Amino acid sequence: MEEKSKRDGFGSKIGIIAAAAGSAIGLGNIYRFPCELGNNGGAAFLLVYLIVVVFLGIPVMLSELVIGRRGQSNAVGAFKKLAPKSAWPIVGYMGVLCGFIIFAFYSTISGWTLEYIVKSVSNSFQGKDLAAMEQDFSNFHDMGWRNVMWQAIFIFLTGFVVFKGVQNGIERYAKILMPVLLVILVILGIRSATLPGAKDGLVFLFKPDFSKITGKVLISALGQGFFSLSLGMGALITYGSYIKKDDNLTSTAFSVVLSDTLIALLAGIIIFPAAFSFGINPQAGMGLVFNTIPMIFNQMMGGYWFCIIFFVLLAIAALTSTISLLEVVVAYLSEELHIKRQWATVLACVATMLIGSFASLSLKSNTSLAFGGRTVFDWMDFISSNILLPLGGVLIVLFVGWKLGKSHFFDEVTNSGKLKSPLKRVILFIIRYLAPLAIIVIFISGLIK
Ligand code: TRP
């Protein structure tokens, strides 16, 4: 109880869900999910993804929330408190590092959303065909420093919110804006699915070709699941520590997973029918979303305004995600290293800016910032999403299943017996056996490839 007065926390139940969903819902859903799906065989990927999200996403998310609320501390501190004098805090350190890396490349694409707000306000998409749209997109990348400028602005915005602390900052922004995003996505989805030739896109998205399921597809779906749900690096350990003792962790996990998956599906329904209709290759990667979306708005009544609103909301969705990434680093720096919260924020932002600019500059067409067939941007994404997050995820479920132990787990999940939690045994079983095994198997199958 006394702990609560010392630490900042979430003010209301809806605030927690909004903040956790705000962390989960972001560029991962609207930008990364369609890219990964397009590059990994369409519906086959979707199928694996959905299985990952339900059977691994929910238990891992609940595990993180349990660690956070039980430990009442940041990603490193929680392990220190729950397993003193052990090696477990390494999981937390890994998470802080991973949060830093993700923030560094994530802010690149977040910066693009700002460029695209400006483009949509200045009506620069109007009347353009696909070739012109693609040309604009690659011209923008070749202006390396313009990317870095937007990235810096975005990092500054994130720092500004985190600076102000949990309740005033994070919660207030997330609560209002996520529902508005949902509405605009539904409108876009309807427009896209009714374009001529949209059916092929829906087939690509929903009709699985099982022969396409390879080790690479499995590991990509696993990585995407963790990335999209913000799992495996302690973001939800940190948020869990701000959740009150009488809130229901299981239902929070279910709500967040459900809303995140819904938004990803909607993004798929928006992107693929339109991409097939306009003749955009589903493997177009980075351009897939940034070229397709303005093309849809060009075909829509009031498209000018919708386009502006869309990119503003996309930027905000990205912001509620970067907030959670930065919060992991700042909570660690301020609670473990006793750096004042405000200074910790400044420090983390400057460091992210330095590393992150390499990610941005590596996307120029003639870049020298690439090796082993990947740009610096791709390396950061690959190492964090496909390696560090699943590794963190395994260690987190092993910790809750075997180190923390059954009684502590049940105590957190039922709020010391006050809640029923009919699924608690099933979920514990998954946490102990199924989740670690599945993650390890997928991980190895990805490496063998
Ligand atoms: N989940 C966010 C998205 O989909 C990105 C993100 C925010 C994240 N916090 C995270 C990913 C923590 C992994 C871990 O856009």
Side-chain angles (χ1 to χ4, degrees):
M1 273 292 130
E2 64 213 30
E3 213 103 42
K4 225 188 292 169
S5 52
K6 258 202 332 253
R7 302 183 80 241
D8 200 359
F10 288 126
S12 66
K13 192 176 162 59
I14 188 80
I16 306 153
I17 295 178
S23 165
I25 296 166
L27 298 170
N29 306 59
I30 293 162
Y31 168 80
R32 198 176 188 279
F33 175 76
C35 287
E36 291 289 301
L37 191 132
N39 282 326
N40 287 289
F45 175 90
L46 177 60
L47 189 72
V48 181
Y49 178 77
L50 291 176
I51 294 173
V52 163
V53 160
V54 173
F55 289 99
L56 302 178
I58 293 172
V60 177
M61 185 173 291
L62 190 57
S63 299
E64 284 206 27
L65 295 174
V66 163
I67 294 172
R69 194 169 67 175
R70 197 85 185 159
Q72 282 296 305
S73 189
N74 62 85
V76 173
F79 285 104
K80 281 192 186 161
K81 277 198 203 160
L82 298 175
K85 299 202 177 62
S86 74
W88 284 103
I90 293 175
V91 183
Y93 288 114
M94 240 171 63
V96 173
L97 176 73
C98 187
F100 180 69
I101 300 175
I102 296 181
F103 190 24
F105 75 82
Y106 197 94
S107 52
T108 297
I109 306 180
S110 308
W112 298 353
T113 62
L114 301 179
E115 168 85 6
Y116 272 65
I117 292 173
V118 173
K119 273 191 200 291
S120 49
V121 170
S122 60
N123 209 2
S124 88
F125 302 124
Q126 217 213 351
K128 282 200 173 136
D129 62 2
L130 181 60
M133 209 73 90
E134 286 172 341
Q135 189 59 47
D136 278 7
F137 187 63
S138 74
N139 287 348
F140 169 52
H141 286 171
D142 285 339
M143 293 187 275
W145 291 103
R146 192 173 165 94
N147 290 254
V148 175
M149 172 194 82
W150 288 124
Q151 178 177 32
I153 293 174
F154 204 92
I155 291 174
F156 173 81
L157 287 173
T158 310
F160 180 76
V161 178
V162 169
F163 202 89
K164 293 180 23 177
V166 174
Q167 201 165 24
N168 289 327
I170 300 170
E171 188 174 336
R172 202 166 62 194
Y173 294 84
K175 218 163 30 184
I176 327 160
L177 294 157
M178 287 298 111
V180 186
L181 179 67
L182 183 67
V183 173
I184 198 133
L185 289 178
V186 170
I187 297 173
L188 260 174
I190 293 171
R191 175 66 272 216
S192 175
T194 53
L195 285 167
K199 192 167 154 276
D200 292 341
L202 292 171
V203 169
F204 179 76
L205 180 61
F206 289 118
K207 194 155 176 275
D209 170 356
F210 293 99
S211 69
K212 293 234 170 88
I213 301 179
T214 59
K216 177 174 170 275
V217 170
L218 293 180
I219 186 116
S220 304
L222 181 72
Q224 176 60 26
F226 275 83
F227 189 91
S228 190
L229 295 172
S230 298
L231 297 177
M233 54 149 274
L236 294 176
I237 294 180
T238 310
Y239 276 18
S241 74
Y242 305 135
I243 297 179
K244 291 202 193 97
K245 286 290 174 199
D246 54 1
D247 281 315
N248 186 336
L249 296 185
T250 318
S251 70
T252 302
F254 271 92
S255 315
V256 173
V257 170
L258 189 71
S259 48
D260 187 75
T261 308
L262 194 70
I263 300 280
L265 275 173
L266 263 172
I269 294 173
I270 293 167
I271 297 296
F272 291 103
F276 276 77
S277 170
F278 301 138
I280 299 173
N281 182 350
Q283 301 193 15
M286 302 200 139
L288 183 60
V289 172
F290 280 87
N291 293 325
T292 306
I293 299 261
M295 294 279 292
I296 307 176
F297 286 122
N298 272 349
Q299 309 268 329
M300 235 167 105
M301 218 178 69
Y304 172 76
W305 294 105
F306 276 120
C307 192
I308 297 173
I309 300 172
F310 173 81
F311 280 110
V312 169
L313 290 172
L314 187 60
I316 292 165
L319 185 64
T320 54
S321 298
T322 51
I323 288 167
S324 74
L325 291 164
L326 181 59
E327 179 64 24
V328 171
V329 180
V330 167
Y332 162 72
L333 291 175
S334 66
E335 291 180 4
E336 299 302 307
L337 303 185
H338 307 291
I339 300 173
K340 246 181 89 181
R341 186 176 178 87
Q342 279 75 359
W343 281 115
T345 309
V346 173
L347 191 71
C349 285
V350 171
T352 307
M353 196 51 250
L354 290 175
I355 305 294
S357 56
F358 288 98
S360 284
L361 293 173
S362 78
L363 297 176
K364 283 168 76 162
S365 48
N366 61 349
T367 185
S368 52
L369 294 168
F371 50 94
R374 283 196 170 93
T375 59
V376 168
F377 180 99
D378 288 336
W379 274 113
M380 288 185 179
D381 185 359
F382 176 78
I383 291 172
S384 53
S385 317
N386 288 7
I387 297 179
L388 289 176
L389 295 182
L391 197 62
V394 172
L395 293 171
I396 284 164
V397 282
L398 287 176
F399 180 82
V400 170
W402 299 100
K403 174 74 189 170
L404 188 65
K406 191 164 145 179
S407 59
H408 287 282
F409 177 75
F410 286 164
D411 193 57
E412 272 309 311
V413 171
T414 61
N415 293 350
S416 308
K418 286 197 240 7
L419 297 173
K420 282 253 179 329
S421 188
L423 288 175
K424 65 176 192 263
R425 280 173 209 288
V426 182
I427 297 180
L428 184 65
F429 177 81
I430 299 179
I431 288 176
R432 281 193 158 168
Y433 302 99
L434 202 68
L437 207 70
I439 299 172
I440 291 168
V441 168
I442 294 178
F443 201 63
I444 292 173
S445 75
L447 289 183
I448 288 172
K449 146 96 188 59

